[in-house]
Amino acid sequence: MAQPLDGLTAIVTGAGRGLGRAEARELARLGANVVVNDFGQPGRDGSGEASAAPAEETAAEIRAAGGRAVAHLGDVADFEQAEALVRRAVDTYGQLDILVNNAGILRDRMIFSMSEDEWDSVIRVHLKGHFNTTHFAATHWRTRSKAAGGPVYGRIVNTSSEAFLAGSAGQPNYAAAKGGIVGLTTSTALALAKYGVTANVICPRARTRMTEDVFAGIPAHGTDGTAAQGRPDPLAPEHVSPLVGYLASPAAAGVNGQLLVVHGGMVAIAERPRIAAKFDTAKDTFSHQELDDLLTPYFAERPPGETFAAAEVLGLKHG
């Protein structure tokens, strides 16, 4: 039976564990050839025996299930290694059709306690990592489109976070990186549309090794004890991966430049910012007094503590 992604080739970064692994397995289940990327190297298991790198483990799982996958061990935040990743997909399967950027790290700290390295490392892995792979994938699709004389098939699914939408106080580096990824995605969506490529961004909520401390206080079941009834953890990565599979598929050709929040059996489409109010100077330029007269009363009437952050997104749930 034909699958939606038959004959297509996908890269999933950070796919050795957690969300990336679930996404890679879903794309393979839908028929795609998958290049599984992760920075993790081979190690030792509990008995001291050599163990495979996480990316190789994921690729092996996919092959054992009847799919097609190869591993790539590399740092997507390194420009040359990101180029090698795209080249691995093209050399192995002939071309690249789908890019899922998921790789990331956390270095949580309040802004007044954060070190320069904690800032730089998170920005590097998340934001630069997304740029690097997108750059080389976009170059590949542009070249193919020019050779074909028209659009080609291309899908980008980037990973942002509710930390960007809600303004996570203890994650200034992470929130900034994830906000940057949204800007990168909307810019890419406009730039690549004429080549047949779409770019969308998801804000997933999932329990993974990276987020185990973040969600430590949330039980792996609903408040009604649904886990005991065989229902999955509402923060299981498997709630997110079907959306990635959809956005990577031909069915999503009309979805471009969008931001979607996904977790626990729910998908929410975020609306772009809209202008709440507009003020014009009565003169050639604003004076301090005129701005005081206009803006101070306006903000005094707004709800206390309301900012540009959309904290209400944290209250979204299935049902």
Side-chain angles (χ1 to χ4, degrees):
M1 181 177 177
Q3 294 293 331
L5 304 184
D6 279 348
L8 301 177
T9 295
I11 286 173
V12 183
T13 72
R17 298 182 179 90
L19 186 55
R21 175 174 283 188
E23 292 168 346
R25 292 172 64 175
E26 176 69 4
L27 295 179
R29 189 187 70 80
L30 294 175
N33 312 309
V34 183
V35 180
V36 179
N37 161 267
D38 205 288
F39 188 51
Q41 300 299 313
R44 298 279 176 182
D45 62 19
S47 66
E49 295 294 322
S51 62
E56 293 172 336
E57 292 177 349
T58 301
E61 285 182 5
I62 290 171
R63 292 192 297 268
R68 296 169 300 278
V70 296
H72 174 271
L73 309 184
D75 178 8
V76 293
D78 180 283
F79 199 63
E80 292 182 355
Q81 292 183 51
E83 181 180 23
L85 170 59
V86 172
R87 189 166 59 246
R88 173 95 158 123
V90 175
D91 290 348
T92 304
Y93 297 114
Q95 64 187 42
L96 173 66
D97 306 287
I98 300 159
L99 171 63
V100 179
N101 282 309
N102 169 75
I105 61 172
L106 289 178
R107 298 291 185 270
D108 293 354
R109 191 96 51 193
M110 299 295 283
I111 188 65
F112 42 77
S113 302
M114 183 164 290
S115 70
E116 181 181 15
D117 180 67
E118 287 166 339
W119 173 270
D120 288 347
S121 61
V122 169
I123 297 296
R124 176 182 180 274
V125 174
H126 288 274
L127 187 51
K128 188 182 179 188
H130 272 63
F131 161 74
N132 286 348
T133 54
T134 299
H135 167 78
F136 290 111
T139 300
H140 170 73
W141 288 320
R142 182 172 179 262
T143 300
R144 278 176 50 200
S145 178
K146 287 189 172 184
V152 296
Y153 190 99
R155 299 284 188 270
I156 299 171
V157 182
N158 287 333
T159 306
S160 183
S161 170
E162 292 169 295
F164 148 69
L165 290 170
S168 180
Q171 298 179 303
N173 49 2
Y174 185 70
K178 291 307 192 181
I181 287 168
V182 174
L184 171 66
T185 304
T186 54
S187 174
T188 301
L190 293 175
L192 299 187
K194 66 180 179 181
Y195 302 117
V197 179
T198 67
N200 294 287
V201 59
I202 63 172
C203 292
R205 192 187 301 179
R207 194 189 310 274
T208 67
R209 193 176 71 159
M210 188 180 83
T211 63
E212 59 186 355
D213 291 337
V214 176
F215 297 129
I218 301 177
H221 53 76
T223 55
D224 58 351
T226 50
Q229 303 171 23
R231 295 178 63 181
D233 177 357
L235 294 177
E238 287 72 22
H239 285 299
V240 176
S241 53
L243 177 62
V244 173
Y246 166 74
L247 292 173
S249 74
V255 184
N256 193 31
Q258 302 299 317
L259 188 154
L260 303 97
V261 180
V262 55
H263 58 81
M266 179 217 74
V267 173
I269 302 167
E271 190 175 30
R272 70 181 188 269
R274 297 187 182 275
I275 303 301
K278 176 178 175 290
F279 301 94
D280 297 307
T281 180
K283 304 175 183 178
D284 293 332
T285 60
F286 278 110
S287 66
H288 173 84
Q289 186 60 55
E290 188 179 18
L291 289 170
D292 183 14
D293 293 341
L294 293 171
L295 299 185
T296 300
Y298 172 78
F299 284 107
E301 295 177 2
R302 297 279 290 271
E306 182 182 82
T307 72
F308 187 76
E312 63 272 14
V313 73
L314 299 178
L316 291 171
K317 62 181 180 179
H318 177 234

